Amino acid sequence: MANLLNSAQDFITDSLERIKIARLNLEACRKAKLSTAFKLAMDYIRSGMELLGSDHWSHHYDLSLQIYNAAAEVAYCYKDFTYMEKTILQIWQNASCMLHKVYSYSIQIKAYNDKCMHEEAVKTALHVLDKLGENIPSNPTDACIKQEICNALAMKTVNTENVTAMPIMEDKIVLASMQVLSDITLSCYFSQPSLLPVVALQMVKLTYSYGLSKYSACAFALFGLTLYSRMNTRDGYRFCQLSLLLLDKIPAKEFLPRIYVLIY
């Protein structure tokens, strides 16, 4: 259907009809991306962008944001970093708040990771986290890390029964923070290892305070690894087991390889 309508888009002048076809192209792009048909997905999303019309950020803000985010993500998957960065810049210039920019920042951070630009990834993530209200120290002292670990371990809610009974995280800003923190674990490992325990602790604390998300299992596994590295094998094992338990409660296939590498 999308292919047929796209071939006739020059003859469709009604603005509302063009917006409907733009939405159809967005859905076609998503399906093609799930099938790893990235070239086809790019063709669909570019057609959708052409159909938006002039001044679309003002008249069709939500759809524009979805289409441009999809375009940036497909360009990233297709390794067209030039087009990806061009599209992301458009989002940053037109998005109405930092929360609406987080998805595109996440794509940019992943691209930095892929290109081994780990310092840039960390720098970008810390900027975004600061805008979201998360104050992450860029150069934490060991004494500070030890104290935070003690505070986390002092929580009485850290057991199988209480953790699995936690509510689902719903705060969009906190979820965005969890996403960005998760994105930089690899870059922290390669460029700023001292920051990795802080990232793990922050994700665990946000889970304690706001509930479970698809990032929580990764947070617990990373915190367990942090404890193992500090010779606390008992608590390290406990948090790793909780991580595996959370995978059953909140499936997160995209994190399975990372979690298994951290634990096993």
Side-chain angles (χ1 to χ4, degrees), residues 31-79:
K31 290 180 179 180
K33 181 173 70 70
L34 286 174
S35 301
T36 66
F38 300 129
K39 175 63 171 63
L40 184 60
M42 182 63 76
D43 291 340
Y44 283 131
I45 206 62
R46 280 180 166 165
S47 294
M49 295 169 84
E50 291 171 3
L51 287 159
L52 284 173
S54 60
D55 205 21
H56 56 86
W57 284 103
S58 297
H59 296 123
H60 305 286
Y61 176 82
D62 289 341
L63 180 60
S64 296
L65 186 62
Q66 291 179 61
I67 286 179
Y68 273 72
N69 275 332
E73 186 173 30
V74 171
Y76 163 72
C77 294
Y78 197 54
K79 300 302 179 186

Side-chain angles (χ1 to χ4, degrees), residues 141-143 145-146 149 194 197 224-233:
T141 64
D142 192 60
I145 294 172
K146 287 180 179 178
I149 289 175
S194 64
L225 182 66
T226 298
L227 294 171
Y228 267 114
S229 70
R230 292 171 177 267
M231 306 307 293
N232 185 344
T233 56

Side-chain angles (χ1 to χ4, degrees), residues 55-175:
D55 205 21
H56 56 86
W57 284 103
S58 297
H59 296 123
H60 305 286
Y61 176 82
D62 289 341
L63 180 60
S64 296
L65 186 62
Q66 291 179 61
I67 286 179
Y68 273 72
N69 275 332
E73 186 173 30
V74 171
Y76 163 72
C77 294
Y78 197 54
K79 300 302 179 186
D80 187 347
F81 293 120
T82 300
Y83 186 76
M84 180 203 78
E85 290 174 356
K86 177 183 176 182
T87 305
I88 285 175
L89 183 60
Q90 287 289 311
I91 297 170
W92 293 349
Q93 290 174 343
N94 292 281
S96 61
C97 63
M98 176 53 74
L99 184 60
H100 292 173
K101 299 177 184 180
V102 167
Y103 196 85
S104 57
Y105 269 112
S106 177
I107 296 169
Q108 181 68 76
I109 291 167
K110 289 184 177 74
Y112 283 145
N113 287 337
D114 288 359
K115 293 189 284 186
C116 296
M117 299 172 63
H118 301 300
E119 291 183 0
E120 283 298 320
V122 172
K123 179 180 177 182
T124 301
L126 292 180
H127 164 74
V128 176
L129 290 166
D130 181 65
K131 295 295 183 181
L132 292 172
E134 299 294 335
N135 183 21
I136 307 295
S138 56
N139 294 294
T141 64
D142 192 60
C144 176
I145 294 172
K146 287 180 179 178
Q147 183 58 53
E148 289 296 326
I149 289 175
C150 289
N151 293 341
L153 292 177
M155 295 271 190
K156 297 186 181 297
T157 57
V158 188
N159 58 59
T160 300
E161 182 178 346
N162 289 335
V163 168
T164 55
M166 285 182 179
I168 300 300
M169 186 181 292
E170 296 181 350
D171 190 301
K172 291 182 179 180
I173 294 178
V174 178
L175 280 167

Side-chain angles (χ1 to χ4, degrees), residues 195-232:
L195 198 58
L196 199 56
V198 177
V199 169
L201 280 161
Q202 190 65 17
M203 293 179 75
V204 168
K205 287 196 296 184
L206 290 174
T207 297
Y208 287 165
S209 300
Y210 296 93
L212 300 174
S213 71
K214 66 178 183 179
Y215 308 103
S216 297
C218 184
F220 278 56
L222 190 59
F223 187 50
L225 182 66
T226 298
L227 294 171
Y228 267 114
S229 70
R230 292 171 177 267
M231 306 307 293
N232 185 344

